[in-house]
Amino acid sequence: MRSVSLTLADIVGIFEDRYDPAWAESWDAVGLVCGDPGAQVRRVLFAVDPVAEVADEALAWGADLIVTHHPLLLRPVHGVPATTPKGRLVHRLIRSGTALFTAHTNADVADPGVSDALARAVGLTGDLRPLSPSPDDPRRGLGRVGELPEPLTLREFAAGAAEGLPATAGGLRVAGDPDALIRTVAVCGGAGDSLLGAARAAGADVYLTADLRHHPASEFREAGTTALVDAAHWATEWPWLRDAAGLLGETNVETRISAAVTDAWTFRSCEGST
């Protein structure tokens, strides 16, 4: 395929073969957002979020396609006027001839998918299994669980995870005994508090995910010894971009992982009264 010019329809086919849109949640919005399926694609930019900063990078680089994990139009809209942030983005992309494609929850449950990439980034090297297997295929599903090559303390595991994930203002928040030994690790890219019970049932010594809320996290810790690591949502999904870009490795399409840190939080203040 390195000598064949690929169209947008060809590229979409490659991604939908790996991330079947039928696997997406009913509320999700995946697939091609804008773009001419017959247009040739020479450069593809991969990013977590379809935001203005990513569009700036894509247009400056001359990308023909942006592939993102998060949808641009997750909630139904009745128009995309350029007076709104999302509308402006759509207008910019169409004017520049840059297409936009999204793989979201269909990439979350794929084998391999978003959580596989996260697991590798935080140090898991062996076999992985879903935390919540898909009913039609137990090899697919949400989250992943596996074993570290050798036991680490929670402090060591957290340090390694922080090194393996892209840096964000919030860093990692950890709940648990820093000296507790960690062998079995559960992960879920993105917001994963719905899988807290699955992580405990899997026998995980630690569960790493994002967007953990106070009450679910507190109750989870009160009821057992499984440690928690709460990372930035964006950071837990960023490792998947390399896997997605790898799908085009046997083609003549040039790929690039966005350098934009699009995590919502930009700085941290640690001052307090106690």
Side-chain angles (χ1 to χ4, degrees):
M1 295 181 68
R2 288 192 177 277
S3 61
V4 178
S5 295
L6 297 183
T7 65
L8 178 57
D10 295 327
I11 301 295
V12 168
I14 290 172
F15 287 116
E16 292 191 341
D17 280 346
R18 176 60 63 87
Y19 310 118
D20 189 337
W23 298 341
E25 296 289 340
S26 59
W27 49 262
D28 205 1
V30 302
L32 190 61
V33 178
C34 63
D36 178 358
Q40 288 194 345
V41 175
R42 300 176 180 84
R43 287 183 168 181
V44 181
L45 180 73
F46 292 81
V48 174
D49 297 299
V51 295
E53 187 176 2
V54 168
D56 291 344
E57 183 179 356
L59 271 58
W61 183 52
D64 304 297
L65 170 64
I66 303 171
V67 174
T68 64
H69 182 52
H70 290 149
L72 176 66
L73 304 172
L74 183 58
R75 294 181 176 86
V77 298
H78 300 288
V80 285
T83 54
T84 67
K86 292 180 185 291
R88 282 194 293 275
L89 185 61
V90 170
H91 281 258
R92 288 186 67 196
L93 294 179
I94 291 175
R95 282 198 303 268
S96 67
T98 306
L100 175 62
F101 176 86
T102 294
H104 190 211
T105 54
N106 50 331
D108 287 334
V109 300
D111 176 30
V114 171
S115 290
D116 294 274
L118 172 59
R120 302 308 183 200
V122 301
L124 295 175
T125 58
D127 293 336
L128 301 171
R129 61 188 186 277
L131 269 179
S132 178
S134 298
D136 59 330
D137 184 351
R139 296 171 300 176
R140 296 190 298 102
L142 291 172
R144 291 296 184 270
V145 60
E147 308 292 325
L148 290 170
E150 59 184 30
L152 299 173
T153 66
L154 178 59
R155 189 192 309 276
E156 291 170 332
F157 170 78
E163 185 175 346
L165 295 175
T168 59
L172 301 182
R173 298 188 299 174
V174 185
D177 177 359
D179 296 319
L181 283 182
I182 302 300
R183 298 179 177 84
T184 303
V185 177
V187 303
C188 180
D193 62 4
S194 65
L195 297 181
L196 284 166
R200 174 173 290 130
D205 299 308
V206 63
Y207 177 39
L208 185 151
T209 187
D211 296 346
L212 287 175
R213 295 170 294 154
H214 172 79
H215 290 297
S218 177
E219 292 167 4
F220 179 82
R221 287 289 301 150
E222 286 290 309
T225 60
T226 302
L228 293 174
V229 178
D230 185 41
H233 190 122
W234 170 83
T236 64
E237 295 173 331
W238 187 87
W240 168 77
L241 301 179
R242 295 192 184 279
D243 286 4
L247 295 179
L248 301 181
E250 298 302 319
T251 72
N252 62 358
V253 174
E254 188 177 356
T255 62
R256 178 171 172 175
I257 307 299
S258 174
V261 178
T262 56
D263 184 51
W265 310 107
T266 55
F267 73 94
R268 179 178 59 180
S269 177
C270 296
E271 296 297 325
S273 61
T274 58

